[in-house]
Amino acid sequence: MSALAFNNSTVQELRRLIGRRSSRYEARRFVVEGPVLVSEALAANWQIVSQFVPEGSDAWIGDFGETFELAPGVFERVASTQTPQPPIAIVRMRDRDVEASLESASFVVVLDGIGDPGNLGTIIRSAEAAGVDLVVLTPGSVDPYSPKVVRSSAGAIFHVPVVVADLDDVSSAGIVLVGTSSHDAPGRSVVAHTACDLTGRIALVMGNEAAGLPDEWTDRAGPIDRWITIPHRGRSESLNVAMATTVLTFEAARQRAHER
């Protein structure tokens, strides 16, 4: 496979896709860096639009998309990591039907207003490992296609569908909403995560890192069907949202395995 010489427009496009959420969604493309993640994208049949390697390198993967050689120093400057490994690839986003995705899902994680890309990537990684069918982000959450989310997911982003939807959309699909809380509260019954039935069609609803779930969701008349908490023995009031999601998804996976 022969490589094309880079030009300013191709490098500018790469920089825009790395740095701007709006550019990613306008182009319906995002950036994947390094041989492991690019190979994961290919293994999951995502379309590689183009690959970028340093001048004189043959580090592109397979015969997928156009390949560009970047002049000395340019590859390092455009990458989002300090010590990038080639190739950098531009990958086409997949269009997902939100309604159809919800209708077909049985084991869902809903993330409300998640703001940290490292947390989101870790959650997607845990979700894949626990057998989650679908990850739902509420509007305003961090972009699942940002470079840090893609890296933090360790390739799981290519294997677990991620969509943006409101909680009402999830509930309307007939999915039981299981809210998570670090403490009990007046007017609602909160049980230990191991004491709650997490089989059937459920969605584990996780709150924002700082604020938790919105007040209108947490009162007795809110949309949540069941409430669970992870009992603590130490001084900490709550777990990091990525850690809490990992604990809960694996408990649900344990229960669901026994259901079969």
Side-chain angles (χ1 to χ4, degrees):
M1 181 177 180
S2 60
L4 304 171
F6 84 97
N7 55 56
N8 286 335
S9 64
T10 58
V11 172
Q12 287 171 2
E13 179 191 16
L14 187 57
R15 284 175 169 158
R16 284 195 300 269
L17 294 177
I18 289 174
R20 297 181 191 171
R21 178 175 187 155
S22 59
S23 296
R24 290 193 284 272
Y25 284 88
E26 286 170 7
R28 302 296 299 168
R29 300 176 178 185
F30 64 105
V31 173
V32 178
E33 299 182 36
V36 173
L37 291 179
V38 174
S39 295
E40 283 286 349
L42 287 169
N45 296 316
W46 288 63
Q47 182 183 352
I48 305 296
V49 177
S50 53
Q51 299 184 55
F52 297 81
V53 298
E55 190 173 65
S57 169
D58 60 355
W60 56 74
I61 296 176
D63 188 13
F64 300 98
E66 293 183 313
T67 301
F68 295 90
E69 287 191 340
L70 302 182
V74 175
F75 183 88
E76 291 75 14
R77 289 199 300 272
V78 298
S80 65
T81 56
Q82 290 187 343
T83 55
Q85 291 184 305
I88 297 173
I90 294 178
V91 178
R92 190 177 304 280
M93 290 183 188
R94 285 183 174 172
D95 295 321
R96 298 195 186 276
D97 185 309
V98 174
E99 184 176 353
S101 296
L102 288 168
E103 289 294 337
S104 63
S106 176
F107 184 11
V108 180
V109 169
V110 177
L111 304 172
D112 180 59
I114 293 295
D116 183 86
N119 280 339
L120 178 55
T122 300
I123 289 170
I124 294 171
R125 185 177 184 178
S126 295
E128 185 205 4
V132 170
D133 299 320
L134 181 69
V135 173
V136 175
L137 302 176
T138 60
S141 297
V142 67
D143 178 19
Y145 295 109
S146 73
K148 188 170 182 181
V149 173
V150 174
R151 288 198 307 274
S152 299
S153 79
I157 187 73
F158 304 118
H159 300 278
V160 179
V162 179
V163 299
V164 176
D166 292 316
L167 197 66
D168 288 344
D169 297 325
V170 183
S171 181
S172 297
I175 299 171
V176 174
L177 303 178
V178 182
T180 54
S181 176
S182 61
H183 57 277
D184 205 345
R188 70 172 191 252
S189 175
V190 182
V191 302
H193 66 297
T194 52
C196 182
D197 181 4
L198 300 177
T199 62
R201 299 189 70 218
I202 64 156
L204 297 170
V205 185
M206 312 299 297
N208 170 268
E209 291 94 339
L213 296 177
D215 291 340
E216 61 269 25
W217 292 5
T218 61
D219 62 33
R220 192 168 186 177
I224 302 298
D225 299 300
R226 304 172 192 165
W227 284 97
I228 59 174
T229 189
I230 301 171
H232 297 173
R233 292 193 175 94
R235 294 179 298 109
S236 177
E237 292 185 1
S238 62
L239 297 175
N240 165 277
V241 66
M243 184 179 295
T245 306
T246 300
V247 171
L248 296 176
T249 53
F250 274 84
E251 170 59 20
R254 183 192 69 81
Q255 293 186 22
R256 299 166 81 84
H258 287 293
E259 181 189 31
R260 298 190 184 100

